[in-house]
Amino acid sequence: MYYGRRRWRRQLLKVVCMRKLEYLKLFSISGVPVFIHWSLSVPLVLIAVLAVSEISMLIVAISILMVMLIHEIGHMWFASKLGLRSVRISLYLLHGQFSFEKADNDYHNCLVSWGGVAAQAIVFIPCIAIFSLYSASLPWYVNVPLMILGYINALIAVVNMAPAMGLDGEECWKSIPLYFKYYRPRSGRDKKNRKHLKSVK
């Protein structure tokens, strides 16, 4: 019996350790932790090593990482404005994920999905404008981030708005019919319990 308990504790410790190794906490934004998954951290480390001889690779990697982070911060900002508690931001190799407490009002949950593309638009519009007007006079290490945060960022936002499973567009476009269902001045309806967790990409 004692052996069984000790073995169970070893298994629990193993799971906890693997979980800690799977994610690495980078920092916190307004008390919300930002984690990076190993699927992204390993390529970043390799790029950092290669950047010793080719600094442009590091600039590209940081710019793409910024696009992902800006998108998730947009979700977080919308959630905070709707009074929903933000839980965490997780960054993976090809996408990010924002976790928050789900509201009882489906309309509000869909509005959070709009936060990502809204934040991207706030960034890619001025970046595209600056690149279009001044790219000829700017150095390459400024033009490269402007292109990624501008044109590539805009392309990602457009693709992500497609009404397909796994993309923000799947939830975003639901907000239009839900608007007519929920958008009425109600004092108590939007203050119900928000105990369920929800994640958006």
Side-chain angles (χ1 to χ4, degrees), residues 10-126:
R10 284 203 303 266
Q11 288 296 110
L12 180 61
L13 181 61
K14 183 179 179 180
V15 171
V16 172
C17 290
M18 289 179 65
R19 185 67 177 176
K20 287 184 177 180
L21 292 174
E22 187 178 2
Y23 292 93
L24 174 66
K25 182 178 178 181
L26 295 180
F27 47 80
S28 295
I29 302 176
S30 300
V32 180
V34 179
F35 293 91
I36 184 172
H37 191 255
W38 69 266
S39 61
L40 178 59
S41 60
V42 172
L44 286 179
V45 171
L46 294 176
I47 290 173
V49 172
L50 296 174
V52 175
S53 58
E54 188 59 48
I55 190 66
S56 60
M57 294 182 62
L58 183 61
I59 294 176
V60 170
I62 293 176
S63 300
I64 293 176
L65 188 64
M66 286 299 298
V67 171
M68 296 171 59
L69 187 59
I70 288 167
H71 180 89
E72 305 308 325
I73 290 176
H75 288 313
M76 186 182 76
W77 185 67
F78 268 45
S80 66
K81 292 300 180 181
L82 293 170
L84 304 175
R85 187 175 69 87
S86 301
V87 178
R88 63 183 283 164
I89 292 175
S90 302
L91 301 178
Y92 299 86
L93 180 59
L94 298 176
H95 68 91
Q97 189 176 67
F98 169 64
S99 299
F100 66 101
E101 282 188 331
K102 184 179 179 181
D104 293 327
N105 188 327
D106 293 335
Y107 175 63
H108 287 175
N109 293 325
C110 292
L111 283 183
V112 175
S113 297
W114 281 101
V117 67
Q120 287 179 265
I122 292 174
V123 174
F124 71 64
I125 291 174

Side-chain angles (χ1 to χ4, degrees), residues 184-192:
R184 295 175 184 175
R186 299 171 182 174
S187 59
R189 180 160 187 168
D190 298 335
K191 296 181 180 180
K192 293 182 179 180

Side-chain angles (χ1 to χ4, degrees), residues 125-138 143 146 151:
I125 291 174
C127 285
I128 290 175
I130 294 172
F131 183 84
S132 300
L133 294 173
Y134 305 107
S135 60
S137 59
L138 293 174
N143 281 328
L146 284 176
Y151 294 101

Side-chain angles (χ1 to χ4, degrees), residues 163-190:
M165 184 177 297
L167 300 178
D168 282 339
E170 181 184 11
E171 295 291 325
C172 288
W173 301 116
K174 292 179 182 178
S175 63
I176 297 176
L178 288 173
Y179 171 85
F180 299 99
K181 179 179 179 181
Y182 286 106
Y183 194 71
R184 295 175 184 175
R186 299 171 182 174
S187 59
R189 180 160 187 168
D190 298 335

